[in-house]
């Protein structure tokens, strides 16, 4: 059923698979590049249609990076009121670009910003949206996007279609799809679009809410080593200890929902169904029970170490190394050992 108040559309006018490229300052966020890889695959199944990308207030260098990762065309969006991110002005700018280029599919990273931007765009374009897809495919006959996502608190996996409206909009969390290889030989088009959006919001001030130590660590989705803390860590002090371990290992810090709700780690560090999906080489779960909503975010880790006094905790079944014990005894030993390794001087060569 389609709302009778919505404007009629001709689905045949919509072609191509497009991606929203989110910036982190002067850098493209990995999730946009990951989505370009998936977009290429879907575009191939739809008869080699165009893979496009929308980048607001970005640079040509960033646009080229997107082309190296699979985009055929990147639209650099410029205009007044786009200097600082706001879902209202950015949403309007994206909607204007999509109205002009008419892609049949539009993919957005389910980051904090993507999660607020995508529904805003969908509402402006009177189309549907599926949040937090874990897999995507297409039905070549109908050109419908198969949007596969957990539902009902994660107890079911459902496939959602948007058969009547275009573009079909879906969000996908970071690290769900692998980043495609960077091919500097790829060629593509960079188009500049100037949009006029009304200023309807004004940023009065911005401040970082998280402890500086944790904020200084790399993002959880891009680190090779991640220490994940849960309720068993028990305090913000305990998280400081985990932060120190993360630093010594050159890694990052993540947290369970319980730990985030306790205020020990910021939401950007949340791993799992409502947080981020990670694929590090090493994940160390500290004071984490291993609830299914957390496991879905860590299961792709190459090696999992769990530190927990409860040998029956579910996480122990998924751990390559299960350390049964109190983290307050184990982590300080690890930290001390790593500090020693860092300060130990190499032995001078023996003189014969
Ligand atoms: C719709 C929905 C979405 C959700 N999304 C997420 C999500 O994205 N991410 C997420 O993490 N959760 C999510 N949850 C919550 C999830 O179900 C669990 O409640 C949560 O993951 C449990 O967190 P925890 O392991 O920190 O705490 P607990 O389950 O309470 O486990 C604490 C563990 O710490 C151990 N422990 C205690 N003392 C120590 C010690 N001194 N040293 C070492 N270990 C110790 C205990 O033995 C225990 O195993 C979601 C839930 C719902 C319903």
């Amino acid at each position: 059923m389609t709302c009778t108040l919505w404007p009629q559309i001709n689905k045949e006018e919509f072609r191509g698979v497009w991606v929203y490229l989110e910036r982190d300052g002067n850098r493209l966020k990995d999730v946009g590049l990951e989505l370009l890889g998936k977009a290429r695959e879907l575009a191939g199944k739809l008869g080699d249609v165009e893979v496009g990308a929308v980048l607001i207030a970005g640079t040509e260098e960033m646009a080229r990076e997107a082309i190296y990762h699979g985009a055929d065309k990147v639209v650099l969006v410029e205009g007044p009121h786009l200097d600082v991110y706001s879902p209202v002005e950015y949403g309007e700018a994206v909607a204007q670009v999509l109205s002009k280029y008419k892609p049949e599919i539009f993919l957005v990273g389910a980051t904090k910003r993507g999660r607020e931007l995508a529904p805003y765009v969908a509402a402006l374009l009177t189309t549907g949206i599926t949040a937090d897809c874990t897999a995507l495919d297409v039905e070549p006959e109908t050109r419908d996007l198969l949007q596969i996502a957990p539902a009902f608190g994660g107890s079911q996996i459902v496939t959602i279609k948007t058969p009547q409206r275009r573009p079909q909009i879906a969000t996908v969390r970071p690290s769900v799809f692998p980043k495609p290889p960077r091919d500097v030989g790829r060629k593509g088009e960079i188009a500049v679009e100037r949009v006029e959006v009304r200023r309807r919001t004004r940023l009065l001030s911005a401040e970082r809410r998280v402890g500086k130590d944790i904020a200084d660590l790399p993002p959880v989705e891009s680190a090779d080593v991640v220490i994940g803390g849960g309720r068993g860590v028990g305090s913000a002090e305990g998280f400081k200890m985990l932060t120190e371990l993360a630093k010594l290992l050159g890694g990052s810090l993540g947290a369970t929902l319980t730990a985030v709700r306790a205020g020990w780690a910021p939401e950007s560090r949340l791993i799992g169904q409502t947080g981020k999906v990670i694929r590090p080489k090493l994940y160390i779960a500290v004071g984490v029970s291993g609830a299914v909503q957390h496991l879905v975010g860590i299961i792709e880790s190459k090696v999992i170490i769990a530190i927990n006094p409860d040998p029956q905790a579910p996480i122990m079944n998924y751990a390559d190394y299960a350390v049964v014990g109190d983290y307050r005894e184990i982590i300080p030993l690890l930290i001390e050992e790593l500090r020693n390794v860092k300060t130990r001087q190499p032995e001078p060569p023996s003189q014969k």
Side-chain angles (χ1 to χ4, degrees), residues 20 22-25 29 83-87 90 108-120 171 203:
Y20 176 71
E22 188 177 328
R23 283 182 298 109
D24 188 1
K29 282 202 167 170
D83 45 336
V84 177
Y85 167 79
S86 148
Y90 271 44
V108 181
T111 59
K112 225 173 184 177
R113 288 184 176 182
R115 279 182 172 155
E116 62 178 5
L117 181 82
Y120 199 85
T171 70
L203 183 69

Side-chain angles (χ1 to χ4, degrees), residues 230-232 256-258 271-274 287 289 293-294 308-309 326-327:
R231 192 204 300 268
T256 64
L257 186 60
T258 330
I271 299 171
Q273 187 184 311
T274 23
S289 62
Q293 293 89 353
H294 186 73
N308 197 311
D326 187 329
Y327 87 94

Side-chain angles (χ1 to χ4, degrees), residues 209-233:
R209 284 179 52 209
V210 297
K212 193 171 169 340
D213 275 4
I214 297 183
D216 284 347
L217 293 171
V220 79
E221 60 273 31
S222 62
D224 279 345
V225 178
V226 176
I227 320 293
R231 192 204 300 268
V233 174

